Each structure stands twice: as C-alpha cells, then as structure tokens.
Amino acid sequence: MMLDIDSIREMVVNFAVLYGMKLLVALVILVVGTWIIRRLNKLIQNLMVRKGVDESLRPFLGSILNVTLWVLLIVLVIAQLGVEMTSFIAVLGSAGLAIGLALQGSLSNFAGGVLILTIKPFRVGDYIEAQGQGGTVHLINIFNTVLKTADNKTIYLPNGPLASTVVVNYSVEATRRVELLFTVSVHNDIGKVRSLIQELIAQDERVLQEPAPVIVVTNFAEHAITISTRIWCNRADYWALYWDMNEKAKAAFEQNNIAMPVPKREVFSFESGPSQPAVGA
C-alpha cells in the first residue's frame, strides 16, 4: 500500500513539474503578450495619426491589427501548453467554417466595411443619409458605421446593407443650392415681389453670384402663386441662410403690403320649402 501511495505521489509530482512549468510559462506569455498588444495598439494609432492616415481608416485598421495580435498570442499560449498544432489548426479550421456559416451576416458586414473604406463614398465627419437615417459619420468600424444625429442620438448602420444601398452625402461638394418657396396672393404684382427678393439676395454676402440666383414662378393656383428662389452658398452656410432668408422675406413682404393668399370658402344654406300636396289627393 505504501508503494502504491509513493508511486502515485511521485507521478503527481512529475506531472506537476512537467506541466506546471509549461502552465507557468504559458501564463507568463499571456500576461506579457497582453501588455505588448496594448502597447503596440497605442503605438500604431499614434503612428497613423503622425503619418496622416485617413481618420475613417484608423479604427478599421486598429481593429484588424488587434484581432490578429490576439490570435497569434492565443496560438503561442496553446503551443506552449503542448497541444499538437496540426490537430489544433484542423479543429480551428472546422470551427471557423461552422462559425462562418452561422455568421454570414457578420461576414457580409465585414466585406461591406472593406468596400466602404476602399471606395470611400463617405468619410468620418461627413453628413449622410442612408437606409432612412441621417447623421454625421462618427466611426467606421469593422461591422458597422456609427452616425451621430443633430439631436445627439447614436445610430449604428450595418456595413453590409450600407455598402449596397443608396447613400446621399451632403459633405462632398463645397457649395449647395438653397431653394426657397414663397407663396403670395394672386393679386400681388409679381415684379414687385421679385424685386423685394432680389434686394434680400443682394444684401446677403453669403449668397454666391456663380451660379447666378434664379427667381421664377413655379405654381399658379386660383388664390395663390408660388415663387421659387434658388440661390447657392457655401456648404457651411446652408441652414443659417435658409432660415434667415425666410424670416427676412416675411418681414419685407409685411413692410411692402404683399398680401398672403386667403382661400375662399362658399357657404350654402338650404331651407326646406312648403310641402306640396301629393298627386291625386
């Protein structure tokens, strides 16, 4: 009985010495590798900033680098534990195939992210509309694009559908056209209304002279006419100019007695007449 206990004790000690050292070394590799990965991520991010890498590309490249480094670290730790790498790679390949089939949508989003960063229909900081949503591009990640709305909401758009849908980018061109619709009564002098609008345009330095402003009648109804005013401005002045021109036009119309359209309504009154005698009564 003593021999059996001594044999078991010796086997346990040998096992602990053999595999305990491997486990300790694997743990050291894991801790040191984690520290190195964090340092490398910061170093690469700072290097991309200094080299002027596109801001849209930095998070994407950083994510890919981080995933690659972690995969390498895990492989090193498993190899240190004595696991046969051929078998491990075979198991990893089978698992990767199963995961790939289960995560087809995520792989589609990954491919969409690559296409977005390659074709660059938008960049970080651009204001876009896509998939019924609108906002400023905040981040382009591996699987999704993050938008910030004007009222500070965060929207996550999957990259797969985003790469294959219609995207309206309001930040590509340096200038934009502002279209203003002024509806006035048909009894006004169109020439006078046009002159007032031209004065407002001439007084605002934000309005560009090329392309030239256009003032035309776009609708003529029974009680009202609609005058469309199309002017161009720098992209940053769009909303401020749009709001100011509407406010100034209202004040100018009131000062110059430009009548607003008043729809007419006719009211009919039906009164029952005297009853008629029935035929043959």
Side-chain angles (χ1 to χ4, degrees):
M1 187 69 176
M2 291 297 296
L3 290 176
D4 291 338
I5 293 176
D6 290 340
S7 299
I8 294 171
R9 183 182 301 164
E10 183 178 356
M11 184 172 59
V12 170
V13 171
N14 291 335
F15 182 85
V17 170
L18 178 61
Y19 290 98
M21 288 300 297
K22 290 185 177 182
L23 183 61
L24 181 61
V25 173
L27 184 60
V28 171
I29 292 175
L30 180 62
V31 173
V32 175
T34 302
W35 180 83
I36 293 175
I37 288 174
R38 291 175 180 173
R39 296 289 295 178
L40 278 176
N41 283 330
K42 291 181 180 179
L43 181 63
I44 295 299
Q45 289 293 334
N46 293 333
L47 183 61
M48 287 192 292
V49 172
R50 288 199 300 269
K51 294 296 183 179
V53 177
D54 190 348
E55 189 178 356
S56 305
L57 200 57
R58 292 177 206 162
F60 189 84
L61 293 178
S63 299
I64 292 179
L65 175 65
N66 187 56
V67 171
T68 303
L69 292 175
W70 273 106
V71 170
L72 291 175
L73 178 60
I74 292 173
V75 169
L76 287 175
V77 171
I78 292 176
Q80 178 60 37
L81 291 175
V83 177
E84 183 65 32
M85 292 306 300
T86 304
S87 302
F88 174 74
I89 292 174
V91 172
L92 187 63
S94 301
L97 178 61
I99 293 173
L101 292 175
L103 301 177
Q104 292 183 15
S106 297
L107 293 177
S108 173
N109 291 332
F110 176 80
V114 173
L115 285 175
I116 289 172
L117 291 170
T118 303
I119 302 173
K120 296 182 179 179
F122 53 82
R123 301 170 182 267
V124 171
D126 288 355
Y127 186 92
I128 66 170
E129 286 183 356
Q131 296 180 302
Q133 304 293 338
T136 302
V137 179
H138 180 64
L139 282 174
I140 303 176
N141 294 320
I142 294 180
F143 300 111
N144 57 50
T145 294
V146 183
L147 303 183
K148 292 288 186 179
T149 64
D151 55 350
N152 205 30
K153 291 186 292 188
T154 301
I155 301 175
Y156 296 88
L157 297 179
N159 284 336
L162 185 60
S164 59
T165 191
V166 176
V167 177
V168 181
N169 192 331
Y170 291 91
S171 303
V172 174
E173 302 297 336
T175 60
R176 287 188 62 187
R177 190 184 73 182
V178 181
E179 183 166 4
L180 304 161
L181 299 177
F182 302 117
T183 303
V184 297
S185 171
V186 294
H187 302 294
N188 293 294
D189 182 358
I190 296 179
K192 182 179 180 180
V193 176
R194 182 182 285 109
S195 297
L196 290 173
I197 297 174
Q198 288 174 339
E199 290 179 9
L200 294 176
I201 293 174
Q203 294 169 1
D204 201 312
E205 297 179 351
R206 293 170 296 184
V207 179
L208 302 178
Q209 298 306 311
E210 186 62 34
V214 176
I215 303 173
V216 293
V217 175
T218 53
N219 190 32
F220 185 82
E222 182 180 359
H223 306 293
I225 56 174
T226 301
I227 300 177
S228 176
T229 302
R230 298 171 181 175
I231 54 180
W232 289 80
C233 67
N234 292 322
R235 184 178 65 230
D237 297 329
Y238 180 88
W239 285 112
L241 180 62
Y242 179 84
W243 294 325
D244 290 346
M245 288 296 293
N246 276 295
E247 184 175 343
K248 291 177 180 178
K250 181 180 185 302
F253 290 167
E254 290 177 349
Q255 292 175 2
N256 292 273
N257 299 318
I258 301 299
M260 296 293 103
V262 178
K264 293 182 180 180
R265 294 181 175 86
E266 295 184 4
V267 180
F268 296 92
S269 176
F270 297 93
E271 297 180 358
S272 59
S275 59
Q276 301 293 329
V279 177

